[in-house]
Amino acid sequence: MINLIATAASQKQAQQLLAAGIDTLYIGEDYFGLRLPHSFERTELAEMVKLTHQAGKKITVAVNALMHNERISQVKDYLQFLADLKVDQVTVGDPGVVYVIQQAKLPLKFVYDSEVLMTSSRQINFWAQHGASGAVLAREVPYGELTTLTPELQIPAEMQVYGATCIHQSGRPLVHNYFNFVQEHQDRADRQRGLFVSAPHKPETHYSIYEDINGTHLFANNDLNLMTKLPELLALGLTDWKLDGLFAGETEFVAIAQQFVQAKQALTNDKWTAELAADLSMQVAAQQPANRGLDTGFYDIDPSEVQ
Amino acid sequence: MRVITDKPEVLAPAGTLEKLKVAIDYGADAVYIGGDAYGLRSRAGNFSFDQMREGVAYAQAHQAKVYVAANIVAHEGDTAGAGEFFRTLRDLGISAVIVSDPSLIEIAITEAPGLPVHLSTQASATNYETLNFWQAEGLERVVLAREVGIEEIKEMRRHTDVQIEAFIHGAMCIGYSGRCVLSNHMSMRDANRGGCAQNCRWKYDLFEMPANGEKQSQVENGEAFSMSAVDMAMIEHIPDLVEAGVNSFKIEGRMKSIHYVSTVANVYRQAVDSYCADPEHYVLKREWVDELWKVAQREMSTGFYYGTPTADDELFGKRRKRPQYGFVGEVLDYDAEHKVALVQQRNNFGVGDKIEFYGPNFTHTEQVVERLWDQDNDILYRAPDAMMICKLPVVQPVKAGDMIRKQR
């Protein structure tokens, strides 16, 4: 019933995640998908599909980029390639891609994921009526809204339960523009470089920032860890849980996934306790990269606190 | 001689009923406003239904249209009453609603049939298949994402006949509109429900975190890291926009002043009319550009129209000097016999000040204030009181509705 979804940064890590008990792998190529730990080109991707299916597990491919003309003109070919590989589903975040799937009648299930925009049941149901088999909820939807949102859903909604939260995407190379202005040209502003910004007068804040072919991306101050909230999600009928390893160490992310697999087993076998939750949550924190905090994001925020 | 008859629309912002009237007087073919609900400019002075009714009547009398922005991204429960709201707008004579959230689009289309729907720029439409998707849903028009270039618009035109609206002037988001929740996470204000705190324009510190050790600031030369876009101005590229097939030229700024709205609408009205009347002999007039600088709040650029913006398109370093103009007043009446203007003051001015009158159809006259009287013909030296009525002799004829500004 519970579907644990995890990103994969390599074939090796994918195999470890599958062995650890992850149900669905989430991968893709940067040209069509957003903010992925690794960009899997077609050959690599085909191998990943094969190994996932051999393990009896599912694979979702990210096709959720904001497409400009140049990409939308190539997306049909890519989607056909994915359909031929029999990937289990794709994520989509641009209505143009939905249009392409509809027009070409591609035999491909899609989950709608426009990230920060996915904030109501009615919107999710709109995409359901346009063929979506699932949707990904925005991280900015607190529990206080989930309680009224989930009973209205016509399709399953996925929740991120671990990892970084993107809070801004720009089409501009914001880091390079800055370096160019101060005439300190630096070649790299990629994710591996580990750049982050701090808000004015809040030196303790840490908003990761990097550039790739989709532009510049900024992330929330802390990564998400909803370990202790899993029973509540389950009670709401939200059972698709995503672990995003974008900023996690490759080995550490597998260890984090193991904690969530344990949680799934405990919840399934009615063995869940507050002590276990606290322990698993601590184990997750222990695997967190240095200098990256964890919290529950918007989950516990009172909806009326947001102006 | 070639003449363009299906001229693109000049679409101006109107934060209030007064601004709506001014925008139309100064040449806007259409204005967009906010209602009491579902709009992104919660502080823009939104319209009640009665004000909308008056605005629509004024617009219709001047062959203009009124659109209502209802471009929030709704959270659970926010859409209650939206069907009724859209039906009321339709029955009031609103020409279209500008919507971003698919749930509100669906409500508008199914519950208020006959009310045209435009996709807001907040939905970041960046390709022709997205335009086709929304046209198939029944939308009349798509406002493009500000990340789309001229060549991309031309390509879109080859694949779709949905109406295309594009921003030509004003402030810009630094990110893909809608795909930004900096304000939610940093200020607990929902950027997509009217609460944007403009966190992108803050001054940040930028760090690198080595695998081991202390974080190291990458801030150089004392210049803080920021993500602040300069404003857009496409005045020098009107032919490109027309020829690319843009149907509506949108000016940003529902929060902006009457001075801004009248000036910007006036300039683009001139440029569009001038180009469409005789494209082959069109000449960009220096005074149009100068005029826009008089109401500029920031430096200006062409955004993504001609390529990915560079450091020059962001606000770094010392601000460039630009002329600073203040809005002084509005002409209420003109006595042609005595060459005296009756003026309502908006900001302090007085004898000795060099002022500029400007009006619809791009009329301009400059003069020094030689004398000034109050309504009872008592002599004044200054007009310091807000909204006070005064009289002054003018060197050239003016007319009711003309505005007055002066350089600071």
Side-chain angles (χ1 to χ4, degrees):
Chain A
M1 183 63 176
I2 294 166
N3 175 30
L4 280 175
I5 306 157
T7 58
S10 68
Q11 201 174 76
K12 183 175 155 220
Q13 192 200 37
Q15 282 165 326
Q16 291 168 344
L17 288 166
L18 294 172
I22 287 297
D23 304 290
T24 303
L25 286 181
Y26 183 65
I27 63 166
E29 179 183 336
D30 282 345
Y31 193 72
F32 296 108
L34 291 177
R35 299 178 280 275
L36 300 159
H38 177 74
S39 184
F40 288 90
E41 306 305 317
R42 291 192 183 199
T43 329
E44 267 186 305
L45 196 129
E47 285 169 28
M48 290 285 284
V49 175
K50 201 170 152 196
L51 76 89
T52 310
H53 285 164
Q54 276 170 356
K57 303 293 179 73
K58 294 193 165 164
I59 190 157
T60 303
V61 175
V63 192
N64 61 345
L66 274 170
M67 308 274 171
H68 283 252
N69 291 339
E70 173 208 351
R71 293 194 203 181
I72 204 79
S73 68
Q74 298 175 52
V75 84
K76 186 175 147 192
D77 177 63
Y78 186 63
L79 291 165
Q80 186 64 59
F81 162 74
L82 298 178
D84 293 344
L85 282 181
K86 300 206 167 7
V87 305
D88 296 280
Q89 52 190 12
V90 296
T91 57
V92 171
D94 187 319
V97 180
V98 175
Y99 193 75
V100 170
I101 292 174
Q102 287 173 340
Q103 292 301 303
K105 297 192 168 57
L106 292 169
L108 205 51
K109 282 165 71 177
F110 72 90
V111 170
Y112 202 78
D113 180 14
S114 55
E115 303 232 336
V116 301
L117 301 176
M118 303 295 286
T119 49
S120 75
S121 60
R122 180 128 192 187
Q123 198 206 136
I124 289 173
N125 294 341
F126 173 92
W127 295 112
Q129 259 122 58
H130 290 77
S133 56
V136 182
L137 278 162
R139 285 74 169 154
E140 290 73 29
V141 177
Y143 179 76
E145 290 174 5
L146 288 176
T147 50
T148 48
L149 183 154
T150 49
E152 305 297 325
L153 291 175
Q154 294 167 4
I155 47 173
E158 177 183 314
M159 282 280 290
Q160 184 182 343
V161 295
Y162 169 79
T165 299
C166 178
I167 61 173
H168 182 92
Q169 183 183 348
S170 174
R172 304 171 186 234
L174 298 177
V175 180
H176 272 103
N177 284 353
Y178 170 74
F179 285 147
N180 286 339
F181 179 79
V182 293
Q183 298 183 321
E184 274 297 320
H185 186 72
Q186 306 189 24
D187 288 337
R188 289 183 53 207
D190 59 8
R191 178 166 46 88
Q192 286 75 12
R193 183 146 179 228
L195 293 170
F196 62 92
V197 300
S198 293
H201 315 300
K202 288 187 177 171
E204 73 284 6
T205 55
H206 176 287
Y207 301 94
S208 290
I209 185 168
Y210 72 81
E211 291 175 8
D212 66 10
I213 62 162
N214 291 300
T216 306
H217 312 270
L218 265 98
F219 296 82
N221 185 34
N222 287 318
D223 290 348
L224 202 58
N225 174 17
L226 294 186
M227 179 64 83
T228 58
K229 311 294 181 187
L230 298 179
E232 285 178 357
L233 297 182
L234 194 56
L236 289 171
L238 295 168
T239 55
D240 294 289
W241 299 343
K242 185 186 272 165
L243 313 174
D244 191 324
L246 189 61
F247 286 100
E250 210 169 315
T251 317
E252 291 81 356
F253 184 59
V254 177
I256 288 167
Q258 281 165 346
Q259 311 311 312
F260 281 92
V261 171
Q262 274 197 53
K264 173 186 169 178
Q265 287 163 351
L267 286 163
T268 312
N269 304 325
D270 221 9
K271 297 260 171 65
W272 183 266
T273 61
E275 293 73 28
L276 178 68
D279 181 50
L280 293 174
S281 193
M282 233 166 58
Q283 298 294 332
V284 169
Q287 303 296 333
Q288 207 28 25
N291 312 307
R292 293 195 71 86
L294 286 169
D295 64 20
T296 54
F298 271 70
Y299 188 88
D300 279 330
I301 283 170
D302 181 340
S304 67
E305 267 183 71
V306 184
Q307 290 185 301
Chain B
M1 189 183 86
R2 182 176 166 227
V3 175
I4 297 167
T5 49
D6 56 340
K7 286 192 291 188
E9 166 186 279
V10 173
L11 173 56
T16 62
L17 191 53
E18 187 187 17
K19 290 175 195 171
L20 176 150
K21 292 176 181 175
V22 166
I24 292 170
D25 289 348
Y26 279 76
D29 298 298
V31 294
Y32 62 102
I33 65 175
D36 283 335
Y38 316 110
L40 265 188
R41 290 285 172 266
S42 50
R43 288 160 291 159
N46 290 314
F47 283 61
S48 68
F49 290 138
D50 281 341
Q51 289 169 325
M52 283 187 194
R53 200 171 284 116
E54 194 181 333
V56 167
Y58 191 85
Q60 285 174 349
H62 295 81
Q63 293 78 48
K65 293 175 181 173
V66 180
Y67 307 141
V68 172
N71 51 354
I72 62 159
V73 178
H75 279 240
E76 203 64 17
D78 288 346
T79 58
E84 177 73 37
F85 177 74
F86 289 133
R87 279 192 297 279
T88 307
L89 299 189
R90 178 194 62 193
D91 299 342
L92 279 174
I94 294 297
S95 294
V97 283
I98 307 165
V99 192
S100 160
D101 185 327
S103 67
L104 285 165
I105 289 172
E106 183 186 64
I107 292 169
I109 285 176
T110 58
E111 298 184 34
L115 176 66
V117 179
H118 298 174
L119 186 74
S120 165
T121 196
Q122 295 297 119
S124 289
T126 50
N127 67 74
Y128 52 83
E129 297 293 22
T130 296
L131 272 57
N132 286 329
F133 177 92
W134 290 116
Q135 187 177 35
E137 287 299 301
L139 274 65
E140 174 183 77
R141 179 184 294 182
V142 171
V143 187
L144 297 180
R146 277 172 276 218
E147 285 74 11
V148 173
I150 289 282
E151 290 305 317
E152 289 179 303
I153 298 176
K154 289 184 190 164
E155 179 69 13
M156 287 175 177
R157 262 286 156 260
R158 287 191 271 273
H159 295 271
T160 177
D161 60 358
V162 73
Q163 290 179 26
I164 290 177
E165 180 174 311
F167 276 91
I168 57 161
H169 196 90
M172 285 182 280
C173 289
I174 193 83
Y176 283 98
S177 294
R179 300 294 184 107
C180 173
V181 286
L182 291 177
S183 177
N184 304 49
H185 286 260
M186 295 180 182
S187 302
M188 210 47 105
R189 300 174 62 90
D190 191 343
N192 286 328
R193 283 186 292 175
C196 177
Q198 302 211 26
N199 309 67
C200 55
R201 299 197 190 274
W202 287 2
K203 300 281 187 196
Y204 294 87
D205 208 342
L206 176 68
F207 292 100
E208 180 171 28
M209 184 68 76
N212 302 300
E214 289 298 295
K215 61 186 185 183
Q216 292 172 356
S217 181
Q218 302 297 302
V219 166
E220 299 285 346
N221 312 333
E223 176 67 32
F225 177 75
S226 193
M227 304 178 279
S228 192
V230 304
D231 291 350
M232 178 189 285
M234 285 295 284
I235 185 61
E236 296 180 21
H237 307 278
I238 294 302
D240 283 357
L241 289 162
V242 176
E243 300 305 332
V246 178
N247 305 97
S248 176
F249 289 4
K250 186 169 209 160
I251 298 162
E252 179 275 345
R254 275 193 282 147
M255 313 275 282
K256 300 260 171 71
S257 66
I258 285 183
H259 183 205
Y260 169 92
V261 170
S262 56
T263 302
V264 179
N266 213 1
V267 166
Y268 284 102
R269 173 82 278 147
Q270 290 298 304
V272 168
D273 285 353
S274 172
Y275 180 71
C276 292
D278 186 2
E280 272 105 79
H281 301 95
Y282 173 80
V283 182
L284 169 75
K285 293 197 176 135
R286 198 65 234 168
E287 65 234 48
W288 296 339
V289 180
D290 293 345
E291 189 78 356
L292 291 175
W293 276 107
K294 292 174 185 172
V295 290
Q297 292 186 326
R298 304 181 180 94
E299 290 82 341
M300 296 187 278
S301 85
T302 55
F304 281 77
Y305 280 115
Y306 300 98
T308 305
T310 66
D312 294 340
D313 302 287
E314 291 182 51
L315 292 170
F316 292 123
K318 284 209 171 70
R319 304 291 291 273
R320 207 180 339 154
K321 271 217 167 116
R322 56 197 155 77
Q324 299 279 339
Y325 282 79
F327 184 34
V328 164
E330 180 179 355
V331 177
L332 299 179
D333 202 2
Y334 174 61
D335 174 353
E337 192 187 336
H338 301 97
K339 293 191 174 173
V340 168
L342 184 72
V343 167
Q344 183 169 52
Q345 180 267 30
R346 296 303 180 95
N347 280 296
N348 191 338
F349 77 107
V351 174
D353 290 352
K354 191 178 173 195
I355 59 170
E356 177 188 342
F357 289 89
Y358 69 95
N361 302 314
F362 216 66
T363 59
H364 283 82
T365 57
E366 287 184 3
Q367 70 168 78
V368 173
V369 180
E370 302 282 2
R371 282 170 294 164
L372 197 61
W373 306 285
D374 69 9
Q375 265 181 302
D376 304 321
N377 297 321
D378 287 335
I379 290 172
L380 294 173
Y381 291 97
R382 307 293 306 170
D385 301 333
M387 308 298 273
M388 71 185 287
I389 311 283
C390 50
K391 294 193 259 187
L392 67 148
V394 294
V395 295
Q396 295 286 335
V398 295
K399 55 195 179 300
D402 284 359
M403 305 288 177
I404 312 165
R405 61 163 79 99
K406 71 168 185 182
Q407 191 159 6
R408 291 201 184 101

